Amino acid sequence: MTVYQFEAVLNNGETKSLADYQGKVLLIVNTASKCGFTPQYKELQELYERYHGEGLEILAFPCNQFMSQEPGTDAEIAEFCSLNYGVTFPIFSKIDVNGEQAHPLYQYLCKEAPGMLGSKAIKWNFTKFLVNRQGEVVERIAPNTKPSECKEQIESLLKEKV
């Protein structure tokens, strides 16, 4: 099984198959607009601009499960990201990443790359998952790790052949 078996709804209401990203390196991030880590959007956009042409896709999944730090509608979230951070990478519709209502993609990501002490739950906003060109989850990255600190892993995965 790979991430390509899943689909999710973009924040414009369009259903997107993750199979559309086959052959790409993915950085999948649960995001929030009112979090101390929200400025990571700037570095995520910088990574996207730097590596998108080489095959990087960043997929943002807004989530309101952590102290209600993503209260907006999909349209409000899109506007916030565009106006404040110039985000051009795909932003999906708001989802749950933990619990019984967790999106199936996140259930899979958490199973494939458990956190500290084997925890499957997402700890906080801006937890990142790196996925290789074959659709395999290779790493879970802590929320407090800045996106710019992921360059080495991203560059390594981009060098791999499909």
Side-chain angles (χ1 to χ4, degrees):
M1 190 166 193
T2 68
V3 296
Y4 303 138
Q5 273 80 40
F6 298 94
E7 59 182 32
V9 177
L10 289 163
N11 66 358
N12 66 4
E14 174 190 336
T15 298
K16 181 81 167 161
S17 170
L18 269 64
D20 292 349
Y21 299 111
Q22 278 190 295
K24 306 280 187 183
V25 171
L26 304 179
L27 185 62
I28 301 174
V29 189
N30 64 299
T31 59
S33 300
K34 299 186 182 314
C35 174
F37 295 132
T38 300
Q40 287 189 22
Y41 270 125
K42 181 179 186 292
E43 287 189 15
L44 288 168
Q45 181 61 31
E46 289 168 356
L47 282 177
Y48 187 70
E49 290 171 7
R50 166 69 180 87
Y51 296 108
H52 183 249
E54 296 176 43
L56 175 68
E57 286 289 349
I58 295 174
L59 309 181
F61 286 87
C63 177
N64 196 39
Q65 288 188 291
F66 305 99
M67 292 182 61
S68 300
Q69 294 183 340
E70 188 56 277
T73 64
D74 286 344
E76 290 168 339
I77 294 165
E79 182 178 20
F80 172 85
C81 291
S82 176
L83 290 176
N84 292 288
Y85 298 101
V87 168
T88 57
F89 51 83
I91 301 174
F92 288 78
S93 189
K94 193 162 41 172
I95 62 166
D96 282 356
V97 297
N98 286 330
E100 289 190 19
Q101 301 302 311
H103 190 282
L105 171 64
Y106 266 82
Q107 292 175 17
Y108 172 76
L109 293 170
C110 292
K111 182 174 73 66
E112 292 298 303
M116 294 287 279
L117 306 174
S119 168
K120 294 206 175 21
I122 299 294
K123 188 165 71 175
W124 200 252
N125 303 309
F126 290 89
T127 297
K128 301 158 209 59
F129 290 90
L130 258 176
V131 177
N132 66 18
R133 292 184 185 269
Q134 291 74 38
E136 302 160 335
V137 182
V138 295
E139 186 175 0
R140 179 192 289 220
I141 301 167
N144 60 341
T145 301
K146 294 179 180 177
S148 60
E149 296 173 34
C150 304
K151 282 183 183 178
E152 198 172 290
Q153 298 104 305
I154 290 169
E155 288 174 355
S156 175
L157 291 174
L158 287 170
K159 288 177 186 167
E160 292 180 2
K161 298 293 178 228
V162 180

